[in-house]
Amino acid sequence: KVLIDKIIRKAVVAKGFLTPEAEKKREDTLIAVFSGVLRVIVWAAVILTIISEFGVNIGPLLAAIGAAGFIMGFALQGTLSNFAAGIMILIYRPYDVGDLVNVGDTLGMVDAMTIVSTTLRKPDNQKVVVPNNMIWGDIITNITGTSKRRVDFVFGIGYSDDISKAQKILEDILAKNESILKDPEPVVKVHELADSSVNFVVRPWVETDNYWDVYWDITRTV
């Protein structure tokens, strides 16, 4: 077991799938899975070799094992699909524990990841377990996967109002908010002539952790 674990660990790191220092938990999960599969294969090969050494014809036995494997694979196809999807998620890392994601039509914080499912904590604190095959086969949105986010606002003024003055007010509000980043530069533009208003788009950039604070702050101030 120790030897197989060492071989798998070296292979995983050598292929660049994971960095041991940064991804220790994820690496251990992958190694445990690959190591377990490899141990089963090695033991099966050893047992069959020993049996053949006693002069036993292993052909029928191999046929029986193949048939049993086919039946089990068909019966457990959903589980195997989750298993395969879990391997892909662990290797390609579309999200990590602690990320806010939208997967399987569910929005929530990633609480835990296993080889067959991902556990999310919804904003109202409900716990949801999503099978990995529903995640990997669908669109994955990692809301907190980057360090910066753009906050999108639409503010309207009347047709008789002063457009230049309104734009200056909006720009001043953004300039006074210390959480708004200077780079990329915020955008304030007349965007749409609606039925009863002239609409501005206001698009500042913020650190991801400050998204909602800025959203509520700017809305209240405007």
Side-chain angles (χ1 to χ4, degrees):
K1 179 182 183 299
V2 174
L3 177 61
I4 291 175
D5 283 355
K6 285 182 178 179
I7 293 172
I8 295 294
R9 186 178 295 276
K10 287 182 179 180
V12 169
V13 174
K15 289 296 183 182
F17 288 147
L18 302 160
T19 304
E21 294 80 8
E23 298 288 349
K24 187 66 169 61
K25 184 176 180 181
R26 187 186 300 274
E27 178 187 297
D28 288 343
T29 303
L30 271 177
I31 289 169
V33 172
F34 290 142
S35 177
V37 172
L38 186 56
R39 282 202 301 274
V40 170
I41 294 173
V42 170
W43 274 110
V46 169
I47 291 171
L48 290 174
T49 301
I50 293 173
I51 292 174
S52 65
E53 287 296 320
F54 284 97
V56 177
N57 182 9
I58 63 173
L61 180 59
L62 290 175
I65 291 174
F70 176 79
I71 293 170
M72 288 183 63
F74 184 79
L76 299 175
Q77 56 183 329
T79 301
L80 293 175
S81 175
N82 284 325
F83 183 88
I87 293 291
M88 300 302 289
I89 289 171
L90 287 170
I91 290 176
Y92 287 101
R93 296 171 288 175
Y95 54 81
D96 286 305
V97 172
D99 284 344
L100 180 63
V101 299
N102 194 338
V103 294
D105 291 328
T106 303
L107 174 69
M109 193 79 71
V110 179
D111 243 9
M113 299 166 60
T114 70
I115 206 68
V116 294
S117 66
T118 297
T119 302
L120 303 180
R121 184 80 59 179
K122 295 176 70 175
D124 62 359
N125 212 35
Q126 292 185 70
K127 185 178 178 180
V128 180
V129 179
V130 185
N132 283 337
N133 65 344
M134 289 183 62
I135 296 172
W136 190 249
D138 203 349
I139 296 172
I140 300 172
T141 302
N142 190 336
I143 297 167
T144 55
T146 55
S147 60
K148 298 177 184 178
R149 283 190 67 191
R150 192 182 74 187
V151 189
D152 290 353
F153 300 97
V154 176
F155 296 116
I157 63 172
Y159 273 93
S160 61
D161 292 329
D162 188 327
I163 289 178
S164 297
K165 182 177 180 180
Q167 179 152 347
K168 180 66 165 57
I169 290 172
L170 293 170
E171 290 171 345
D172 287 346
I173 289 172
L174 298 185
K176 291 176 182 176
N177 191 303
E178 295 181 356
S179 296
I180 291 176
L181 302 175
K182 306 300 181 186
D183 184 26
E185 188 177 353
V187 171
V188 179
K189 298 290 183 182
V190 174
H191 180 68
E192 181 184 27
L193 302 179
D195 292 340
S196 58
S197 63
V198 176
N199 292 337
F200 286 84
V201 289
V202 177
R203 295 173 176 171
W205 287 82
V206 299
E207 299 290 339
T208 298
D209 290 343
N210 296 330
Y211 180 92
W212 284 110
D213 287 338
V214 169
Y215 186 94
W216 292 324
D217 239 10
I218 298 300
T219 300
R220 184 177 188 276
T221 305
V222 170

